Amino acid sequence: MSKAKIAHLILAAGASSRMKQPKQILPWGATTLIGHAIEQSIALKNVHTMVVLGAHSNEIQDKIEQFSITILNHTNWRLGMGSSISFGIDYMMSTDVLYDGVLISLVDQPLIETSHFNTLIAAFQEKSKNIIASDLGSQVGVPAVFSKNFFSDLSKLNKDYGARYLIQKHQDQTETIAANDIAIDIDTIEQYEALYKRKFLN
């Protein structure tokens, strides 16, 4: 069976209002949070990496221009995460490439690495389900792979609804992969410092 062609949308458009600074470019090891997310993505085979920027886009883009990726600047990023997904999906569907699925992830989950993405994609490749999502413990969400059957639904997401809405709506078509110990979001400087210490200083 031929390998599925996957686009990877890394969502990095938020303003990081609780951080008081762009969290996308906070240090993470030898790189930044966004640099790390991109490095994990470009290590995947047969995957096209796309990054959706919004707030602080010029400052962030300067830090990632060396990567062979597609950078999408979402000027209406204030409309929320759903609109960033819709923006990325619309771009994907406007290209000449026929993608079999899309992997959606967040820039602020730095414990998520290539191995977890590969596990999601491998499960998707088996084609038993149309959505392969991450079991976060208290809920199911991204990172997740959606088949092309959901591209239209993803393109209609808005500020009120993100990818998790579709996962909940289509539980019968969803398989989950455990990620509750690694899918940790960074929303505050305290969370960032604690996760950085856990990863690099222990």
Side-chain angles (χ1 to χ4, degrees), residues 51-58 61 71-77 87:
V51 178
V52 181
L53 299 182
H56 316 292
S57 59
N58 291 338
Q61 186 163 335
I71 299 173
L72 306 176
N73 189 9
H74 181 35
T75 55
N76 290 323
W77 59 269
F87 179 75

Side-chain angles (χ1 to χ4, degrees), residues 134-159:
S134 296
D135 182 347
L136 312 176
S138 59
Q139 58 196 7
V140 175
V142 297
V145 182
F146 295 82
S147 82
K148 60 187 176 184
N149 301 337
F150 285 99
F151 286 1
S152 178
D153 288 338
L154 288 165
S155 75
K156 295 171 185 171
L157 292 176
N158 58 32
K159 61 184 178 181

Side-chain angles (χ1 to χ4, degrees), residues 120-186:
L120 294 171
I121 292 170
F124 177 75
Q125 185 72 27
E126 294 171 3
K127 277 296 180 189
S128 59
K129 298 288 185 178
N130 281 314
I131 302 173
I132 312 296
S134 296
D135 182 347
L136 312 176
S138 59
Q139 58 196 7
V140 175
V142 297
V145 182
F146 295 82
S147 82
K148 60 187 176 184
N149 301 337
F150 285 99
F151 286 1
S152 178
D153 288 338
L154 288 165
S155 75
K156 295 171 185 171
L157 292 176
N158 58 32
K159 61 184 178 181
D160 298 316
Y161 298 107
R164 191 175 298 151
Y165 163 75
L166 286 180
I167 294 169
Q168 292 171 341
K169 184 178 177 182
H170 299 283
Q171 292 181 36
D172 60 323
Q173 298 188 56
T174 301
E175 178 181 340
T176 61
I177 304 293
N180 56 309
D181 57 335
I182 54 174
I184 301 169
D185 297 4
I186 292 175

